[in-house]
Amino acid sequence: MESASVAAHAHEEHAHPPEPHYSSRVEPQLLGMLLFIISEVMLFGSFFTAYFFIRVVGHADWMPKGDELPVAVAGVNTAILMSSSFTMHWALESVKNENRAGLRIGLLTTFLLGLTFLTVQINEYVHIGFAPHDHAQGTIFYSLTGLHGAHVFIGLSLLLMATIRAFRGHFSAKEHRGVEVPGIYWHFVDVMWIIVYSTVYVL
């Protein structure tokens, strides 16, 4: 009987392996997103290096005479994107307090604000009056803003999935990692745009 009990216990342990051990106290999903953001910061850094090389080392005008950037339009667009950070925070706080309506409205509003930002940026490209191949400044401008726009598109894809899941009732106060991780990415996108806008449009 004893040997049978030991065998049954061994079989149970084999059928149900122990929980994985993580070397970090940070959850894998959150840690993965943070490491990804660090790599993205380095990517943006390479483009900013080219920008400062042209302006500081090359002493080139920004922009060349005859070409102007729509600073006012970009400023309004910046305000739109910054507003989405507040709605994203509202969505996360709502799910932590089991406020499903706030979660859904917050995520949907964040998505729509982000979509508006991207639409305005595309419209800016259409009417700006110069192309990436016209001069080095144009190449850097389109590279930096286009790289950020690509990140906005990725963020919108994550927000869309989170919004669909929210309307299906997938999140709760205990299980909301699917909202928190896209939220961290979205805040990164917003902060990075402040840097891009301040550097490319204002300075």
Side-chain angles (χ1 to χ4, degrees):
M1 290 292 292
E2 185 176 352
S3 60
S5 176
V6 172
H9 180 69
H11 176 73
E12 182 179 353
E13 286 187 349
H14 179 73
H16 302 284
E19 292 293 326
H21 174 73
Y22 300 112
S23 59
S24 173
R25 294 183 180 181
V26 182
E27 294 187 11
Q29 300 93 329
L30 183 58
L31 180 61
M33 178 56 70
L34 293 177
L35 292 175
F36 174 73
I37 288 176
I38 291 173
S39 69
E40 293 300 288
V41 169
M42 291 187 288
L43 176 61
F44 274 96
S46 64
F47 283 86
F48 278 113
T49 300
Y51 164 82
F52 284 111
F53 183 85
I54 290 176
R55 292 200 66 176
V56 178
V57 180
H59 301 288
D61 293 332
W62 187 270
M63 298 290 292
K65 293 180 180 179
D67 291 324
E68 294 183 0
L69 297 178
V71 179
V73 174
V76 174
N77 214 21
T78 299
I80 292 173
L81 191 62
M82 292 307 100
S83 299
S84 68
S85 270
F86 292 102
T87 55
M88 186 69 235
H89 178 71
W90 176 37
L92 182 58
E93 290 300 313
S94 295
V95 71
K96 289 180 179 179
N97 293 289
E98 293 291 356
N99 180 3
R100 294 185 179 274
L103 168 66
R104 292 165 181 169
I105 295 173
L107 284 175
L108 182 59
T109 305
T110 303
F111 176 82
L112 293 176
L113 288 171
L115 184 61
T116 301
F117 172 87
L118 195 59
T119 302
V120 172
Q121 187 175 27
I122 293 173
N123 183 69
E124 178 183 319
Y125 286 166
V126 173
H127 298 93
I128 201 166
F130 61 86
H133 55 76
D134 287 343
H135 38 66
Q137 292 90 329
T139 302
I140 297 300
F141 170 79
Y142 277 98
S143 296
L144 269 173
T145 57
L147 178 64
H148 181 268
H151 283 74
V152 172
F153 179 78
I154 295 173
L156 287 175
S157 301
L158 296 175
L159 285 174
L160 180 60
M161 290 187 288
T163 303
I164 293 174
R165 292 187 62 192
F167 275 90
R168 292 181 177 179
H170 286 189
F171 302 118
S172 66
K174 293 183 178 179
E175 298 292 337
H176 55 266
R177 189 64 69 199
V179 178
E180 186 174 14
V181 172
I184 293 173
Y185 181 83
W186 191 252
H187 290 312
F188 160 74
V189 169
D190 289 359
V191 170
M192 189 54 64
W193 175 251
I194 294 178
I195 300 173
V196 172
Y197 173 72
S198 302
T199 304
V200 174
Y201 288 87
V202 178
L203 294 181

